[in-house]
Every structure is written in structure tokens, then in C-alpha cells.
Amino acid sequence: MNDLVISTIAQGLLWSVMAIGVYLTFRILHIADLSVEGTFPLGAAVAAVLLEGQHSPAAAILAAGIAGMLAGAATGLLHTKLKIPALLAGILTMIALYSVNLRVMGKANVSLLNTDTVYTSLEFLHLSPNMTTFVVGLIAAVVCPALLYWFFGTEIGLALRATGNNPQMIRAMGVNTDNMILLGLVLSNGVVAVSGALIAQSNGFADVGMGVGTIVIGLASVIIGEVLFGSRSVKNALISVVLGSIVYRIVIAVVLYLGMPPNDLKLFTALLVAIALSLPLVKTRLDSRKAGI
Amino acid sequence: MKTLHLKKMIALGLGAVLVAGVIAGCGGEKKKAGAEAGKVYRIGVLQLVQHGALDAANQGFVDGLAARGYKDGETIHLDQQNAQGDQSNLKTISQRFVNNKVDLIYAIATPAAQTVANETKTIPVVGSAITDYEAAKLVRSNDKPGGNVTGTTDYIPPKQQIDLALTLIPQAKTVGALYTASEANSQVQVKAMKEYAAEQGLTVVEASVANVNDIQQAVQSFVGKVDFIYCPTDNTIASAMANIAKIAVPAKLPVFAGDETMVRTGGTAGVSVNFYQLGFQSGEMAADILAGKASPAAMPVAAQKEAKVIINKEAAAAIGLTIPDELLKAAE
């Protein structure tokens, strides 16, 4: 039982890195960036191919991040330079990445069983596999938000946040909002690709189909986190996303544990996200009714 | 204050769900622990996605075990799980099996088996609907797995499909290969098919699709260019056979497919894998492991015992193919 709890939280921590990427575009820039469904497997593919070629896990994860950033730049350029709506630009990149991912891997599935990964490199700690995943997840879920938190405090970071909140104002102050959107997409997709690299190593394979549904998982984590743990400040919001991702994994684990018919799982996920999305509205309604009385 | 109140309620509700989960989990474990005294083996079944062939592989496994006296609810307890195509669920389900300390895991399709194999090196894993165990790094070698994984392969040498096609259409010069780019099993088969086709002096035209929506145009692109179509055992193609027939039959293009259901639902003919039969064989392998008669490490990956020639007579007649009598007698 304990093991199941640790492994579920570990999964939540690993996926939280992806959710933070989604948070960056969805909440800071107010863009639902669908390219993550392509950059997530892209990160996995790049990392898997490098690991297969005996490169170090650190190099593999770094390369995955850079590949994700390039993909994010593609979406950004399509959106800002060619004026393609953000949603469509994301979809275009996502579709293109499907072929790119197949090219990178040379096949549809690269196995990482019996390959040195970031998890096997921690074997000297003599932890159980679940604890190792937990440790890696914890490091990723602390380092990634911490770096972003620092970045959002810098001048460029503040400009990026303002671009999402009030583009007219920030343009009036002489900031090029296109560059800020581009930067946001680059960062977001880099983070998502790193998460893909970490999860592929944890699962034992990279598969071209592993990106399916990532945007839903990301949005669900962001929204569940916001509703349950608040989003008063950037720091608070980043922590909320990580916790939201863990809660999402717990819910899925409990649902599977209770033996929900598998065919209903997707419906349940959709319901969960819908409920989380509508909670703020329910809250306001409740509050106004109470105030009325 | 009001916000705080609502949050508390949500937290409480969530807590209740978790507690319920824990209780349900513990209750289940107790029941199982009690039953284990009467030697009830627990078997975790992990299927990648709901899909005709994979469902058949699942049913075959259950029946294969039953044929050896391992009936669900009597001497074994089956924990049926399906990731519904969402690969992030595979991990959660695998961990659940390992944590529940099941006695054996049956994994249907490559990513399912890979996730399970990554999670445990001790619990025996029997696979099915997997084409190449070696390439997926599930086993050290197909003849001598060497670890805790073994199973049945759905690989039927494409040579047999091509030979059948050339028997029926001796004048054929070009073959169109229709497959999904994202399926590793299809790529393996198409590669082998191209090599054999080259030996036979056939020209190969490839059309790969990303999903079901691309199939219509891919088949259309073959019309007038190829003499027959070759489809490997491919999940996406399998689900769209009717769609393929709609274009191929009027264009008088025979379709040779690697899976029995594919032939029945729109293909013309094929030397076919029967996923139910494969699952059945996996069930027998699992029974041998449970009985202590064999260990996965020393159990070679098995192929389907007999591959039958399947002919869709209606489709063949509509295309105008004449089928030699001896073949018709041997075929189904």
C-alpha cells in the first residue's frame, strides 16, 4: 500500500513538469498550446535515441529540452510572424512533430529496458525503484518551478507575464509582445519535452503515441491545482500546479483501484476536468447567494 | 472565510474518496490473502486499448487458462485492466499489479508489455499481440528469453502473404503496402515484405497513414498503380478494412491482409493470424508457469501453431479472382 502511495506521488511529480509547461502557456500567455502533444513524445524520442547510443542521461535530458524549445519556436514563429491563430499553430506543429518523432526514432517505439537511464544512475543510493522515481520526480518538480519562479522575477519574466495580462499596456511600454509570446512558447515546450524525457525513462520506452491526451492531463492538473490550492501569486500558482498534478494521479489511481470499467475511464477524466473547471463559478454563485441572505 | 469553507469541503470530499479507495483496497487484499490459502493465483491482465484483435487475444487467454483447469473465480482471480489507449495509465496499472503481488501478468500489445517489464523483474510476464520481443527488448532472444518475460508473437512471415498473392495473381508486377507509420509491428513486417518482394521481382509502392482518416486517400493513391494491396497486422488498418474494401473492390484491387478479422471484414485473402488462438496459446503458457512446469526464462517466444489461408469468397468474386480448387478446399 505504501509503495502504491509513493509510486503514485512520484508519477504526479514527474507529470507536474509537463503540467508546468502547460501552465506557462495556458495561464501566463492565455494560449491553449496543442503542440505539447507533439513535444512531449519529441522529448521522449530524443532522450531515448541518445540513451540507446550510450550517452549520459543528463545529456539526453538536456538535448530533449533543446529539441522541445526548437519545436516551441516553430509554433511561436507560425503564430507571431505568420499570424496563424495560436490554436492552429499548435496543431500544425503537433502534426509535423508526428513525422519528426518517427524520423528521430527511426521506428515507432524505442525500448529503454536494460538501458542506463537517469534512474539507474541513482542506483548507488540503494533505494527501491519507486523511491528512485520519487527522488527524481521531486528534484524535477522543485528545480523546474524554482527556475521559472526566478525567471518570472527578472525584467524579461515580468514583461512576459504582463504580455499575457495586458498586451496593450506592455506594448505601450516599448516591449515587443511577439518576442515575449515566442519566448513563452519556447520555454513551455522545452519544459514539456524534459518531462517527456523523464517519463519515457520511467516507463521503459518512448512511443510515438505517448503524447495522446497530454494536453488534457496538463489542463486538468493546472485547474485542479488552482481550485484546490489557489493561485494568488506566481509562487502559489506554481506550487498548486505540482500539487494538482499529484491529485490528478491519485484520483486516476483510486479510480483504477476501485475497478471502474475501463471503457468509462475517459468519460470520468472529462467529467473530472469539467467539474474542476466549473468549481470557480459554483463558488461565486454560492458566495453571492450567501451575501444576498 | 467562505472560500476557506468551500476548500475544506472539497478537501473533505477528496479525502473521503481516498479513504474509500484505501478501504476498498484493503478489503480486496484481505479477501485475496484469505483465498490464497486455497491456492488461488492472482493474474493481472493489462490490455493497451479496446480493439477487436486485442479483445480476442484477451478472451483467448482466459479460455486457454480455463482449458487447463484455471477458471476465473475458482482457482484463479483475474484482474482485468485496460489503459484505453492512454499510455500514462499503463504505468499506474502495472504498479498496481506489482504492489498487489500478483502471481503472473498477461500483457497485450508492446507498450503494455514494456511498461510491465520495466516495473518487475521477478513476476512472470506473458505477452501477446507483440510482433518482435527482441526489438522491444522484452527478451534477450526469442528462443531463450532469459528473463521473466515470454509470450506469443503475431508475426507471420510476409513471404506467405506474397506467395499466396502470386499464386492467385501470377501476372502481378507491383504491390502496394498499406500500413500505419506509428506501429512498430507494421514496420517490421513491411520491411521483411519489401525484401521478399524484391527477390520476387515485384515493385513495392508504400503508403503509410497516421490514423484512420488518412486511409481512404492512401488506398485511392494505389488505384491504377499497383496490382494488389498488402496490409500487415496493423491496428489502424484493421479497424478500417470496410473503408478499404469500398475503394479496392470497385477498382478490382485484391487486398491481402495478415489477420483473419481483416480478411473477413473487407480483405480478399490472407495467411492469417488468429488473435484468439494466440491468446489461447499464451493462456496455456501461463498455465504451465503457474503449475511450475516451466519458467519464462527458458520458454521460447511462440508463434501461432498453424497459419491458415483465409479467403473472403464474396470479395474475391466481386474482384473477379479465380481461385484454384485445391486452394479453396484447404482454405476457410
Side-chain angles (χ1 to χ4, degrees):
Chain A
M1 200 61 215
N2 246 348
D3 247 18
L4 196 64
V5 172
I6 291 172
S7 65
T8 306
I9 296 175
Q11 286 300 304
L13 288 169
L14 285 180
W15 282 94
S16 74
V17 178
M18 192 275 298
I20 281 176
V22 171
Y23 165 79
L24 238 168
T25 45
F26 186 62
R27 278 304 187 226
I28 303 277
L29 291 178
H30 300 290
I31 291 173
D33 175 26
L34 288 178
S35 40
V36 297
E37 298 227 343
T39 43
F40 183 77
L42 172 69
V46 169
V49 167
L50 288 178
L51 288 170
E52 211 184 23
Q54 310 289 322
H55 291 272
S56 78
I61 294 168
L62 189 70
I66 292 169
M69 288 175 145
L70 289 174
T75 308
L77 290 173
L78 287 173
H79 177 50
T80 57
K81 301 291 176 224
L82 301 180
K83 303 291 170 213
I84 296 171
L87 200 66
L88 197 54
I91 292 174
L92 289 175
T93 309
M94 175 183 82
I95 296 171
L97 284 175
Y98 182 87
S99 299
V100 173
N101 293 341
L102 281 171
R103 282 264 173 205
V104 169
M105 294 197 283
K107 50 195 168 186
N109 176 299
V110 171
S111 179
L112 290 172
L113 298 170
N114 309 315
T115 308
D116 286 334
T117 65
V118 62
Y119 304 95
T120 57
S121 70
L122 288 179
E123 262 168 4
F124 67 91
L125 292 172
H126 299 292
L127 296 169
S128 73
N130 280 339
M131 271 313 281
T132 314
T133 317
F134 181 79
V135 169
V136 173
L138 196 63
I139 294 171
V142 168
V143 169
C144 169
L147 281 176
L148 279 177
Y149 180 64
W150 164 80
F151 168 75
F152 283 134
T154 64
E155 210 169 303
I156 300 178
L158 284 168
L160 181 69
R161 282 166 61 193
T163 300
N165 281 330
N166 193 337
Q168 264 131 0
M169 181 200 76
I170 195 71
R171 247 191 313 256
M173 291 175 78
V175 174
N176 184 332
T177 49
D178 275 3
N179 285 348
M180 288 299 129
I181 291 171
L182 186 62
L183 178 66
L185 285 165
V186 164
L187 281 177
S188 158
N189 283 290
V191 169
V192 169
V194 165
S195 169
L198 290 174
I199 286 165
Q201 294 175 62
S202 155
N203 286 354
F205 66 92
D207 191 283
V208 76
M210 71 192 283
V212 176
T214 38
I215 188 81
V216 175
I217 297 171
L219 290 177
S221 305
V222 169
I223 292 155
I224 293 170
E226 274 177 1
V227 170
L228 291 182
F229 308 103
S231 54
R232 284 174 298 279
S233 61
V234 170
K235 197 205 279 175
N236 180 231
L238 285 169
I239 295 171
S240 292
V241 173
V242 175
L243 294 177
S245 168
I246 295 172
V247 169
Y248 179 82
R249 283 292 141 198
I250 291 175
V251 172
I252 295 285
V254 168
V255 167
L256 288 170
Y257 217 100
L258 292 174
M260 167 177 278
N263 287 354
D264 298 342
L265 196 61
K266 293 260 181 197
L267 178 65
F268 178 82
T269 316
L271 277 176
L272 185 72
V273 178
I275 290 169
L277 274 169
S278 62
L279 273 180
L281 180 72
V282 175
K283 194 172 79 180
T284 355
R285 288 265 168 88
L286 276 177
D287 284 359
S288 63
R289 190 174 295 171
K290 274 182 198 157
I293 292 162
Chain B
M1 273 308 275
K2 278 165 197 159
T3 341
L4 209 68
H5 184 64
L6 185 88
K7 267 190 198 150
K8 267 186 195 160
M9 289 207 355
I10 295 168
L12 258 173
L14 204 76
V17 172
L18 281 179
V19 170
V22 170
I23 291 169
C26 291
E29 258 159 343
K30 256 182 226 153
K31 218 191 300 162
K32 282 165 201 159
E36 212 162 48
K39 288 241 173 186
V40 171
Y41 292 104
R42 278 175 294 160
I43 299 173
V45 178
L46 175 52
Q47 188 175 327
L48 175 66
V49 66
Q50 201 87 13
H51 168 288
L54 301 189
D55 289 348
N58 195 336
Q59 189 56 47
F61 179 76
V62 176
D63 293 349
L65 276 171
R68 291 290 185 90
Y70 291 100
K71 290 207 176 79
D72 188 21
E74 292 175 21
T75 43
I76 52 167
H77 173 80
L78 285 175
D79 185 357
Q80 285 277 2
Q81 295 290 330
N82 190 316
Q84 285 306 316
D86 188 340
Q87 297 191 2
S88 74
N89 291 335
L90 291 176
K91 183 87 174 174
T92 311
I93 298 169
S94 306
Q95 284 174 340
R96 170 197 158 127
F97 288 161
V98 173
N99 282 302
N100 281 348
K101 298 196 173 59
V102 296
D103 298 292
L104 188 136
I105 298 171
Y106 178 48
I108 310 171
T110 310
Q114 283 172 322
T115 313
V116 173
N118 192 46
E119 213 56 46
T120 176
K121 301 272 175 258
T122 49
I123 300 173
V125 178
V126 176
S128 188
I130 296 164
T131 305
D132 193 341
Y133 284 70
E134 248 179 80
K137 291 194 190 161
L138 289 165
V139 298
R140 229 160 281 156
S141 90
N142 287 331
D143 296 328
K144 256 196 140 194
N148 61 327
V149 185
T150 187
T152 52
T153 167
D154 57 18
Y155 185 75
I156 286 197
K159 174 183 181 301
Q160 299 185 24
Q161 313 287 354
I162 299 295
D163 284 343
L164 175 69
L166 290 177
T167 317
L168 295 175
I169 335 162
Q171 75 282 8
K173 292 272 179 299
T174 49
V175 44
L178 180 67
Y179 65 102
T180 313
S182 63
E183 287 187 32
N185 49 329
S186 306
Q187 289 176 331
V188 172
Q189 293 172 76
V190 171
K191 191 164 165 272
M193 190 280 280
K194 277 161 74 180
E195 281 165 18
Y196 185 68
E199 280 174 37
Q200 298 297 309
L202 282 170
T203 314
V204 180
V205 181
E206 283 181 65
S208 74
V209 300
N211 56 46
V212 192
N213 303 326
D214 302 344
I215 288 178
Q216 190 137 0
Q217 276 175 305
V219 180
Q220 203 77 56
S221 78
F222 283 146
V223 176
K225 265 204 256 173
V226 304
D227 298 313
F228 67 94
I229 297 174
Y230 161 84
C231 304
T233 52
D234 180 302
N235 293 311
T236 311
I237 304 294
S239 57
M241 283 311 290
N243 199 356
I244 294 168
K246 239 182 258 166
I247 303 165
V249 173
K252 306 256 180 238
L253 269 178
V255 179
F256 291 83
D259 156 26
E260 194 172 321
T261 338
M262 290 168 83
V263 177
R264 293 199 197 290
T265 52
T268 316
V271 182
S272 293
V273 184
N274 179 323
F275 280 93
Y276 175 84
Q277 184 57 40
L278 271 187
F280 197 93
Q281 275 178 239
S282 290
E284 291 177 327
M285 291 168 87
D288 284 345
I289 293 168
L290 289 179
K293 277 191 236 164
S295 82
M299 241 178 168
V301 171
Q304 191 176 317
K305 275 175 199 147
E306 46 189 275
K308 282 189 195 134
V309 171
I310 313 279
I311 292 172
N312 183 338
K313 284 174 200 150
E314 280 169 44
I319 286 167
L321 268 188
T322 38
I323 296 156
D325 278 345
E326 67 267 30
L327 199 61
L328 208 52
K329 265 179 222 152
E332 271 187 27

